[in-house]
Amino acid sequence: MKKIILYGYATSPFVMKVGCFLKYKQLNFEHVPVNPLSLKQIKFTGQRQVPVLTIGDEWRKDSSPLGIWLDEQFPERSIVPEQHTDPILKIDAWVSNQLIPARFRAAVEWENALDSIRNGWILSSAVNAGTPIPGWVRVLWPFFVRKAKFIVEMVNELNRAESMQDMKLRLRDEFLEHLGNGPFLGGLQQPSLADLSAYPTIVSGHLMGMRGKSPMLEHPEIIAWARRVQTCLPENPLLVADELIKRQHL
Ligand SMILES: N[C@@H](CCC(=O)N[C@@H](CS)C(=O)NCC(=O)O)C(=O)O
């Protein structure tokens, strides 16, 4: 079988998505953490964005197309079954354009400064565990994240006039609409790329011991959905080492 390598920060929601695709499909792969200061591990691609996936000699980027590519190369345990492609990709686009930027918004617009700083340190420890970064960068990480160009640009695409709380409640309600009667997103009987995109975005902060209000994680139907997805993934569904998992599953 061709060797599969996933390059990227273990803390990036887009990288986590692809990690979950690979784990769900039960494919052996190597995760290569990327140093955010030098990007040396992805120099061979001539660009700056992660995730990057290589299958054999070929590399590609962009989490959603990577999921489709994986299904083409390894059709077993399909995550984009042909008869449901459109709704799956629509929900996945909602995850990429709404749910993930909303997580970044929480890192930019601090609702509780102490929690946000502490959360930033949890993230910098996870990055440091993969590719050592200087201590002062780790300490200032929560402040750097607020200014990172791609994060600011992504957050500015959201409607900042909507309060954080209203946004979270709206996203919870939209999620429930996408879930329909379940058991998986789009009302499907099996998890798809959409569930595997949403799952790490929704639960990774909880699993890593981060603080903050999440109306999603308080909703019984969403908790039940997360438990269903979890049963289809390994015990540690993330890309961080087991010792960085600080809380039980939901
Ligand atoms: N559309 C891309 C977005 C990926 C993305 O924004 N990655 C971030 C890390 S979370 C990144 O590498 N940003 C650095 C940059 O774009 O220069 C995907 O779905 O993979």
Side-chain angles (χ1 to χ4, degrees):
M1 199 182 108
K2 289 179 189 165
K3 190 169 164 77
I4 305 174
I5 307 178
L6 172 60
Y7 296 84
Y9 323 122
T11 53
S12 156
F14 296 104
V15 179
M16 290 187 219
K17 270 175 67 170
V18 181
C20 280
F21 302 160
L22 289 158
K23 290 190 179 201
Y24 174 77
K25 289 177 78 63
Q26 299 177 347
L27 292 166
N28 281 329
F29 70 100
E30 184 187 348
H31 169 226
V32 174
V34 170
N35 183 321
L37 304 178
S38 70
L39 302 178
K40 68 176 176 199
Q41 292 81 0
I42 54 162
K43 279 264 154 66
F44 72 94
T45 67
Q47 56 87 52
R48 307 174 53 84
Q49 187 178 283
V50 294
V52 165
L53 191 74
T54 59
I55 302 179
D57 297 336
E58 198 179 343
W59 75 267
R60 295 191 189 178
K61 64 173 185 149
D62 258 323
S63 55
S64 308
L66 289 179
I68 296 169
W69 188 36
L70 275 172
D71 246 22
E72 285 163 5
Q73 298 285 317
F74 308 99
E76 290 235 336
R77 287 174 73 86
S78 171
I79 56 174
V80 202
E82 221 174 85
Q83 64 276 29
H84 300 300
T85 305
D86 286 350
I88 289 171
L89 294 184
K90 196 169 143 239
I91 300 171
D92 169 69
W94 173 83
V95 173
S96 291
N97 300 329
Q98 290 286 323
L99 212 54
I100 292 178
R103 270 204 69 182
F104 282 120
R105 184 177 175 193
V108 170
E109 254 176 66
W110 295 351
E111 288 180 292
N112 174 319
L114 280 181
D115 283 355
S116 297
I117 291 172
R118 190 176 165 278
N119 290 344
W121 286 340
I122 288 175
L123 293 172
S124 68
S125 300
V127 171
N128 182 63
T131 54
I133 47 176
W136 67 271
V137 176
R138 284 172 64 182
V139 172
L140 293 177
W141 192 264
F143 301 91
F144 291 150
V145 166
R146 294 182 103 176
K147 303 270 176 233
K149 189 168 170 277
F150 80 92
I151 292 180
V152 171
E153 282 173 3
M154 206 183 299
V155 171
N156 283 341
E157 291 288 310
L158 296 171
N159 171 15
R160 304 274 298 265
E162 183 181 36
S163 73
M164 284 286 275
Q165 181 61 10
D166 287 351
M167 179 189 68
K168 287 182 183 179
L169 293 172
R170 175 178 56 79
L171 292 174
R172 180 198 61 188
D173 293 344
E174 289 176 1
F175 180 91
L176 289 166
E177 274 173 39
H178 289 311
L179 186 57
N181 292 326
F184 294 102
L185 287 167
L188 303 190
Q189 294 302 311
Q190 303 292 332
S192 74
L193 177 140
D195 300 273
L196 299 162
S197 296
Y199 178 78
T201 310
I202 292 172
V203 305
S204 58
H206 165 83
L207 294 179
M208 291 172 72
M210 288 165 61
R211 288 189 190 154
K213 279 213 163 62
S214 169
M216 283 220 185
L217 296 183
E218 288 165 10
H219 196 286
E221 277 181 48
I222 302 181
I223 294 173
W225 163 83
R227 289 185 177 144
R228 285 194 288 275
V229 178
Q230 178 55 46
T231 58
C232 306
L233 287 167
E235 181 60 24
N236 176 355
L238 306 183
L239 295 163
V240 296
D242 293 349
E243 52 273 23
L244 294 175
I245 301 289
K246 301 293 182 201
R247 290 204 191 107
Q248 299 289 327
H249 293 296
L250 295 166

